[in-house]
């Protein structure tokens, strides 16, 4: 099966989403464990950490479904929908982290999730238009 340029790009971005967001989940859990051991966790910090984990899990799910859609363009709609949800969740996580002052601690995780969801949406939208859906 011949992949279009967008499908090849989707394959690469999907793999990167899986790797980087897997690392983001591990880093956030490690940071949360360290913060809990130092008794420096607060309600807002905990909520921000959960948002980072949720957005990372959404991005990983986008990556898994993106791998599937990279092989079959007709399966792009779940990726497109999850990318929109991921963008909204990533923006919410960024805003929450800015409000409670933890943005600096999670900047890599937040930005990678935001950029990953944005790329996935853009690619999914291209593939969706190519497929005529």
């Amino acid at each position: 099966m011949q992949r279009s340029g967008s499908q090849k790009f989707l394959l690469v971005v999907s793999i990167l989403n899986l790797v980087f967001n897997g690392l983001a989940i591990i880093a956030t859990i490690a940071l949360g464990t360290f913060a809990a051991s130092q008794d420096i966790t607060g309600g807002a910090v905990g909520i921000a950490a959960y948002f980072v984990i949720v957005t990372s899990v959404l991005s990983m799910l986008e990556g898994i479904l993106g791998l599937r859609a990279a092989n079959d363009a007709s399966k792009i709609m779940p990726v497109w929908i999850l990318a929109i949800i991921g963008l909204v969740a990533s923006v919410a996580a960024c805003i929450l982290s800015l409000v409670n002052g933890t943005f600096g601690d999670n900047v890599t995780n937040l930005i990678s999730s935001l950029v990953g969801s944005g790329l996935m949406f853009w690619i999914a939208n291209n593939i969706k238009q190519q497929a005529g859906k």
Side-chain angles (χ1 to χ4, degrees), residues 28 31 34 42-43 52 58 61 65-66 73-74 92-93 96 98 117 122 128-130:
T28 303
L31 181 64
F34 174 75
V52 171
L58 278 172
L61 190 54
L65 293 174
S74 68
L96 182 61
L98 283 171
S117 290
W122 178 64
K128 192 173 118 206
Q129 287 175 353
Q130 289 171 358

Side-chain angles (χ1 to χ4, degrees), residues 20-36 41 45-57 97 102 105-110 112-113:
F20 285 118
N21 285 294
L23 292 173
I25 290 171
I26 293 168
T28 303
I29 291 171
L31 181 64
T33 302
F34 174 75
T41 57
V45 174
I47 291 170
Y50 288 123
F51 259 91
V52 171
I53 290 174
V54 166
T55 58
S56 295
V57 168
S97 292
T102 61
D105 298 336
N106 297 319
V107 68
T108 305
N109 298 349
L110 292 167
S112 69
S113 181

Side-chain angles (χ1 to χ4, degrees), residues 17 27 33 39-40 56 63 75 82 98 101 121 130:
N17 252 353
T33 302
D39 290 330
I40 57 174
S56 295
K75 297 181 180 182
L82 274 177
L98 283 171
F121 174 74
Q130 289 171 358

Side-chain angles (χ1 to χ4, degrees), residues 55-72:
T55 58
S56 295
V57 168
L58 278 172
S59 292
M60 287 185 74
L61 190 54
E62 286 173 32
I64 291 167
L65 293 174
L67 291 174
R68 186 178 76 153
N71 293 323
D72 183 1

